[in-house]
Amino acid sequence: MTDETMSIREMCDAFDVTPRTLRFYESKELLFPRRVGQKRLFTKRDRARLKLILRGKRFGFSLEEIRQLLDLYDKGDQQLTQLTETYHLAEKRLAELVQQRDELNGAIEELRGQMKWGEKMIASIRQQKNAAE
């Protein structure tokens, strides 16, 4: 392989993904490796796209959202549309994550309270049991 292209194995090693993942992303038209016989050769552009796909997945974007954002790269406006759409989608996702965090924090506090109540009940029952013996 050249510096310009990577094999599927090299991509898997570099990005800690499976060949199945790469083929899946290719089937969803997120990656477009060159074909030489049965071999897939991934270009610098594919590597950049995969990095963005994995980042988008980590942030909770759907594959369809990621595909649409990646497709905006070639719009010809120095990525203004792509960056603007990505920013708006990120704002929405951030609000969702903050809401989830707040709900989790509430559930954690409620569970802690229930556990403290449980500790007191266990201690009380043990104390009564020990007093009875």
Side-chain angles (χ1 to χ4, degrees), residues 32-129:
F32 303 94
R34 289 193 339 237
R35 296 289 194 123
V36 178
Q38 292 286 63
K39 289 185 179 181
R40 289 173 171 86
L41 298 177
F42 294 88
T43 64
K44 285 183 178 182
R45 181 180 170 108
D46 291 313
R47 292 192 296 274
R49 288 174 71 93
L50 181 58
K51 188 183 287 187
L52 293 172
I53 292 164
L54 296 174
R55 185 177 298 149
K57 290 298 295 171
R58 188 173 65 247
F59 293 151
F61 295 169
S62 73
L63 287 180
E64 181 56 25
E65 290 169 329
I66 294 167
R67 187 189 62 71
Q68 289 175 7
L69 292 172
L70 289 173
D71 287 349
L72 294 173
Y73 179 82
D74 295 321
K75 192 135 172 94
D77 62 356
Q78 295 181 313
Q79 302 170 352
L80 176 62
T81 302
Q82 183 187 39
L83 291 171
T84 302
E85 291 300 316
T86 302
Y87 186 86
H88 291 308
L89 189 60
E91 280 183 315
K92 179 182 169 188
R93 183 64 186 137
L94 180 60
E96 292 168 354
L97 288 172
V98 167
Q99 180 182 352
Q100 288 174 352
R101 182 199 59 201
D102 293 346
E103 290 170 2
L104 280 172
N105 285 339
I108 288 168
E109 287 307 310
E110 185 176 345
L111 182 57
R112 283 185 177 142
Q114 288 297 307
M115 290 175 72
K116 283 182 183 180
W117 176 84
E119 286 175 6
K120 290 177 185 176
M121 291 300 292
I122 290 168
S124 175
I125 293 168
R126 283 186 178 151
Q127 187 177 28
Q128 289 172 4
K129 183 179 177 191

